[in-house]
């Protein structure tokens, strides 16, 4: 078991907890990374293939002022290849993104893209969705890929179970995830240069006893941060929150907590209220491209005829480039004409909504008003 380790491993990555809401346990803090500080709680836009689909790194930096984005190890490993990216100076240089990057382990894609061939004790055997070639991800190899990419936060390989799963299947899978996490962490400790952090992932399907067991075992790694995975896989929303409530209080207050793959805008304060610091989701960018725009007063389905002559911005309270310059009627026109600029303008707006919500949440926590903020968001989401 990994326990004591040299302090210099954490010389760059550090989590600073600033304020904890005494009523809810919501936290405000700062992730210090080799590529800048990230105020938390934070929503991380998803940049699957070394780009956030539809928008430029320049817009992510200047317009959105995002501090951290996510990259997908599975996709970058297959194309263009992590060694290619390493030769070109690492992922930050490759995609001209000077701020922090978190990469997943690749496991989620392997389990969700029907590319899975076999799970063994050693790792997962899968088929490329690009050309059918066989590949193997092991706890060690996915970290090697992420080290080549040079991400600031790396994730360990875990097994992502479909929902629902039997307790027996979930127990066996959780034990495998734990063995992989120990192997990955040993590899990480032996290779770490202090510039990259590494988070293990709590699994356990929708069983509180397995979630608790997995958490307690992972605590022995004394990890840089902890993720809660295996949520948003089709289970009822109340159950995802319940699993988060089970796990979060067991995690050390001094480490960041990341719930993977959530959620809708009104879910963000709910996870924060359960002590979560980091979230990511493809919803804002994917929905934007599909014509689904988020606003403070409900959704705008941009293709609807009601917006044909609508001169108003998508959201009158939004300060994004899209809302400051363009009407719903114009966006509807671009969408129906399949113009590429539609995806750019829509994605800019939806990501702005998510980042603004997190900014408001953080501010509310800092000034001691988060419980009131949470109540007002809940009241608003009921009426939407
Ligand atoms: Zn906007």
């Amino acid at each position: 078991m990994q326990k004591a380790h040299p302090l210099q491993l954490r010389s760059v990555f550090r989590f600073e907890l600033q304020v904890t809401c005494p009523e809810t346990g919501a936290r405000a803090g700062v992730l210090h990374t080799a590529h800048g500080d990230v105020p938390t709680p934070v929503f991380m836009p998803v940049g699957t293939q070394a780009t956030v689909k539809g928008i430029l790194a320049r817009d992510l930096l200047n317009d959105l002022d995002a501090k951290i984005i996510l990259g997908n190890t599975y996709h970058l490993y297959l194309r263009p290849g992590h060694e290619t990216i390493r030769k070109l100076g690492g992922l930050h240089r490759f995609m001209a993104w000077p701020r922090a990057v978190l990469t997943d382990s690749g496991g989620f894609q392997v389990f969700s893209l029907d590319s899975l061939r076999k799970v063994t004790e050693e790792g997962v055997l899968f088929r490329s969705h690009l050309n059918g070639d066989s590949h193997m991800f092991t706890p060690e190899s996915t970290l090697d890929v992420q080290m080549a990419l040079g991400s600031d936060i790396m994730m360990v390989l875990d097994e992502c179970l479909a929902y629902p799963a039997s307790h027996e299947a979930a127990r066996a899978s959780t034990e495998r995830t734990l063995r992989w996490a120990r192997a990955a962490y040993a590899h990480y400790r032996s290779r770490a240069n202090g510039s990259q952090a590494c988070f293990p992932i709590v699994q356990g399907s929708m069983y509180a006893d397995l979630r608790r067991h997995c958490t307690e075992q992972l605590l022995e790694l004394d990890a840089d941060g902890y993720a809660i995975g295996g949520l948003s896989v089709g289970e009822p929303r109340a159950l995802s929150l319940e699993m988060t409530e089970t796990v979060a209080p067991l995690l050390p207050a001094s480490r960041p907590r990341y719930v993977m793959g959530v959620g809708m805008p009104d879910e963000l304060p709910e996870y924060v209220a359960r002590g979560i610091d980091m979230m990511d989701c493809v919803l804002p960018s994917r929905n934007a491209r599909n014509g689904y725009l988020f606003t403070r007063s409900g959704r705008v389905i941009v293709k609807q005829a009601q917006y044909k002559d609508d001169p108003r911005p998508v959201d009158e309270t939004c300060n994004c480039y899209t809302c400051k310059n363009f009407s719903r009627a114009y966006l509807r026109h671009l969408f129906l004409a399949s113009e590429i600029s539609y995806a750019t303008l829509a994605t800019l707006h939806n990501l702005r909504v998510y980042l603004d919500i997190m900014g408001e949440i953080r501010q509310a926590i800092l000034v001691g008003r988060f419980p009131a903020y949470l109540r007002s968001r809940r009241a608003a989401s009921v009426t939407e």
Side-chain angles (χ1 to χ4, degrees), residues 314-315 318-324 348-350 352-353:
V314 175
D315 186 336
C318 180
N319 276 322
C320 81
Y321 170 75
T322 306
C323 290
K324 279 192 293 192
L348 268 180
H349 167 75
N350 270 2
R352 176 80 273 155
V353 169

Side-chain angles (χ1 to χ4, degrees), residues 341-362:
S341 56
Y342 165 77
T344 303
L345 294 174
T347 305
L348 268 180
H349 167 75
N350 270 2
L351 285 176
R352 176 80 273 155
V353 169
Y354 271 64
L355 296 177
D356 279 355
I357 290 172
M358 280 305 204
E360 285 170 12
I361 291 174
R362 176 175 156 77

